[in-house]
Amino acid sequence: MTQIRLLLCKDCHSTEVLPEYKGDPRGDTVLEYAVAKHQYPNGERHFGRLYPVDGVDEDRWHSDSSARDEILKRVWQEEGATGMEPWVYQAVDTLKADAMQCWRSRNRPETCSDFHSEKKLLTPPTAGDRKAEGMPKWNKSNPSGQRYLCDYCPIRSVNEQKVRHKLGLYE
């Protein structure tokens, strides 16, 4: 039985299946190709780890979803993940990157006139689906459902400190 290896990228929060390789690691062209995709625009490589998976070949990996899910859960827990699916981490990382881009595009201000404004409100792109299913429009006024791009921006901590100072929590 040919084993597989899992390449975990901690920056992308992704997992790739690689075939088993025995020999000089410098000759592992499959690994080198897979790793080359995981780098920043400046050429700096992402952090990751390679896991050998004993007793599982590619056919079983693709056909046995319960075994695959259990292996992924165990591996990500070893990496310090909280048990959420990797796509959750990818979504949060994307929001952080978008917020940083917004902040930088404004020349890194210490205050922001758009903080928690209507145009920074994150709304689901489900209007068409909701209408087709006969569901009401998404309720923007529901405070528990409101998330802003600003919640992932450095300005948020500045604003939180101002609110806490007004409440007398720093005295």
Side-chain angles (χ1 to χ4, degrees), residues 30-51:
V30 173
L31 177 61
E32 196 57 40
Y33 175 77
V35 168
K37 297 183 286 183
H38 295 278
Q39 61 182 356
Y40 294 103
N42 67 359
E44 187 178 328
R45 291 191 170 199
H46 291 180
F47 291 103
R49 187 175 291 181
L50 189 63
Y51 281 90

Side-chain angles (χ1 to χ4, degrees), residues 65-167:
S65 63
S66 63
R68 181 178 61 240
D69 291 346
E70 183 60 35
I71 291 167
L72 285 173
K73 180 179 177 184
R74 182 174 35 109
V75 167
W76 279 108
Q77 283 177 342
E78 285 181 28
E79 293 298 321
T82 61
M84 294 186 205
E85 297 289 326
W87 67 265
V88 174
Y89 298 104
Q90 291 170 347
V92 170
D93 287 345
T94 300
L95 289 167
K96 287 179 181 178
D98 290 348
M100 288 299 286
Q101 183 179 2
C102 176
W103 182 63
R104 286 185 184 123
S105 72
R106 297 165 182 268
N107 296 320
R108 301 176 179 188
E110 291 185 19
T111 61
C112 182
S113 60
D114 282 338
F115 187 78
H116 279 202
S117 69
E118 182 74 22
K119 65 182 177 180
K120 297 298 177 184
L121 180 65
L122 301 174
T123 57
T126 57
D129 295 333
R130 286 176 166 273
K131 187 175 183 178
E133 295 295 322
M135 296 173 64
K137 290 183 179 182
W138 184 70
N139 185 0
K140 289 183 182 180
S141 63
N142 178 5
S144 65
Q146 288 182 348
R147 291 288 174 257
Y148 295 86
L149 185 60
C150 312
D151 294 338
Y152 303 92
C153 179
I155 296 294
R156 178 181 178 171
S157 63
V158 172
N159 284 326
E160 284 178 349
Q161 287 176 356
K162 287 178 183 177
V163 168
R164 290 177 184 150
H165 186 70
K166 284 181 184 177
L167 292 172

